[in-house]
Amino acid sequence: MCGIAGFALRGQEHRKNEELLSAMARTLAHRGPDDEGFFHASSRSGETSIGLAHRRLSIIDLAGGHQPLGNEDGSIQIVFNGEVYNFASLRQDLIGRGHRFLTNSDTETVVHAYEEYGEDCVDHLRGMFAFAIWDANREKLLLARDRFGKKPLFVHQRGEELLFASEIKAILSFPGVSAGVDRDALWDYLAYRYVPGPATLFAGIRKLPPGTVAVWEDGKLRERTFYRPPDGDLRREGAHGDDPVGAFLDQLDESVAIRMVSDVPFGAFLSGGIDSSAVVALMARHSNLPVKTFSVGFREEQYSELSHAALIAREFRTEHQELVVSQDHLMDELEALVRFRDAPVAEPSDIPIYLLAREARKSVKMVLTGEGSDEVLGGYPKHVFERYVRPYQLLPAGIRHRLFEPLVKALPYRFRRAKTAIVNLGLDHDHDRLPRWFGALSHREREQLVAFRPSPKMDPAFSGPPFDVESGNSALRRILYFDQTSWLPDNLLERGDRMTMAASLEARMPFMDHELAAFASSLPDRFRVRGRQTKWILREAMKRILPESILERPKVGFRVPVNEWFRGPMRDYLCDHLTGPGSLTRLYYRPEALNAILDEHVKGRQNHEKLLWTLLNLEIWHRQYGVTA
């Protein structure tokens, strides 16, 4: 796990380029505290300057993995962030094809795979990655990002020039790049609670989409998609044998095992839920030493799962550590984490994850996590509710919107799932409903609160991911595809990367293996969601491994008690940021609408914690980067 940055510039002075690269790399020091390296080159005509920068967190081949790394004659140079889990078998195949290796690094495998397969090298990689390759002979710069977007890569184009980096802050360090807000992205942020790709909140800076290869050549950038999650297409029958559950368990077991290859100490995040418990149980199969596990919980016991994590730790005899956090930790870390993320902190749980990563980093450099299970296997209540959209919408609109919705909205917070379900089932269009399950505001709600409107160029048809699902696909596959192409890469995986890398800790996610995802997608829907039972096949598989109490426990999620904090110790902080004289975002909103939302929440009539957290973090982001409305 590392940080990369670089550029393709026209007619820049070489000595100045070294300074620019060094400045970009310094902003990424937390991603790679162990080493740094640089590469400079010019095109044959001298009109183009290429720069590559790398910050390294050493995990594999500690002595031989310095980057940038080249081929035998140095004509190909790479900076790489991530891990290739099949590098050993791929290396042997490439040696058989005549390639000569000088290190044991997985990065060198990518160099030779590029020599052998060109841009199609990405099809041969199993792992998480974002990388840049300069091919001097062809005078082209190749950028690539892994299939699900586990590793980040941002780009900024200005004319024929290109800047790229693992984090936006490296691009902002470059002379002439300013921190301006993209209002269309902000409009989307208020719906999703994160900015859906490829946009970012920064005008002119965008994400390279997951599963994408981009090639800069002669001042032009072209992109192509090399991977699309299979849930976006109609189901294609796979070979499952007589025991699909056993075949799934074997696939998951392999996914865990290949992610345990490391030359440094490693462990696992353990929440006590079925996902992380499954990972720890399978890790214990493949380890001769006790697995190191790390859990975080809250002083407020109703929000803490530490006792469940401790049960798994005892069952599998792990070397277990617990961290207890409070509201004080939240206040202390929030603003700094907005800066680490270069974006609003979309989920309050980002903060305890960072604190846990910081604690774990004292004894390990890498952890395995249960991230991605819900989005691949169907683990949320919305994956059950979504199947009822069509039947519910057969009811007359007047009954749905003027009778049911007002009644349900008036219910107390303890009925939040029913409130969410009824409101969302009534939204007619996928592009409004699918983000709203976990989002903040529907289109109509944004029009009521927000004082500006998006530009006319925003396409209401949403023809690309996450809405380009093949016609005739099931409701479950449609919403899983949305999760896999939006909620995951633009929120959860981004969160996982920034919060762990802020502590210089690598996180690996066995459930995000693309071969495991393909296996799950080939199964009939009932193997993922059966009746009201989510992640059915995982639960069946874990009956063979985990204690019954873990399997029967309802999904809790990693909930932070923001509702109570916003009514109590954080109330003044919240109101000052949103409506005080120093607020940089209050001009975005209609004052009467914002005041009504605050009043309803503070007085306990409604729980608007999700929306208020979204607005608070937007304000903090503006203050951190000096952006005004």
Side-chain angles (χ1 to χ4, degrees), residues 118-125 129 131 144 147 213 224 226:
E119 296 174 22
D120 293 335
C121 66
V122 290
D123 296 325
H124 299 265
L125 307 180
F129 54 83
F131 63 83
R147 294 169 179 84
V213 169
R224 70 171 179 89
F226 70 88

Side-chain angles (χ1 to χ4, degrees), residues 381-451:
K382 67 176 182 176
H383 296 141
V384 176
F385 292 139
E386 184 68 16
R387 77 179 75 167
Y388 301 116
V389 168
R390 299 297 173 249
Y392 182 75
Q393 292 185 356
L394 291 175
L395 294 172
I399 293 178
R400 288 187 280 124
H401 298 309
R402 291 195 289 273
L403 178 60
F404 287 173
E405 287 183 22
L407 289 173
V408 170
K409 284 182 176 179
L411 292 172
Y413 177 70
R414 65 179 180 273
F415 298 101
R416 62 188 180 278
R417 284 190 175 175
K419 292 154 68 81
T420 299
I422 292 298
V423 170
N424 292 345
L425 290 174
L427 297 173
D428 296 327
H429 304 292
D430 284 1
H431 65 260
D432 207 11
R433 185 181 65 261
L434 296 184
R436 183 64 174 76
W437 282 111
F438 284 162
L441 299 170
S442 67
H443 186 87
R444 184 178 57 163
E445 290 166 334
R446 276 177 289 171
E447 289 184 331
Q448 293 169 349
L449 173 63
V450 180

Side-chain angles (χ1 to χ4, degrees), residues 535-603:
K535 291 185 291 197
W536 181 87
I537 193 167
L538 177 63
R539 297 180 192 280
E540 288 297 304
M542 289 302 109
K543 285 179 180 179
R544 308 176 185 188
I545 299 176
L546 293 180
E548 188 175 346
S549 59
I550 294 296
L551 296 172
E552 294 180 351
R553 189 166 67 89
K555 183 178 181 64
V556 176
F558 199 23
R559 186 167 178 268
V560 179
V562 172
N563 174 28
E564 292 85 345
W565 293 350
F566 280 173
R567 288 194 178 114
M570 287 188 67
R571 182 180 61 184
D572 292 343
Y573 179 87
L574 173 70
C575 293
D576 176 69
H577 275 68
L578 297 187
T579 62
S583 173
L584 299 177
T585 56
R586 58 194 173 104
L587 295 180
Y588 288 141
Y589 316 118
R590 302 180 189 279
E592 66 281 2
L594 178 58
N595 289 333
I597 290 168
L598 282 166
D599 187 65
E600 285 181 348
H601 186 89
V602 169
K603 293 181 178 178

Side-chain angles (χ1 to χ4, degrees), residues 156-167:
H156 172 69
Q157 294 173 261
R158 50 184 192 185
E160 295 185 334
E161 297 185 331
L162 176 71
L163 306 176
F164 67 88
S166 296
E167 296 185 13

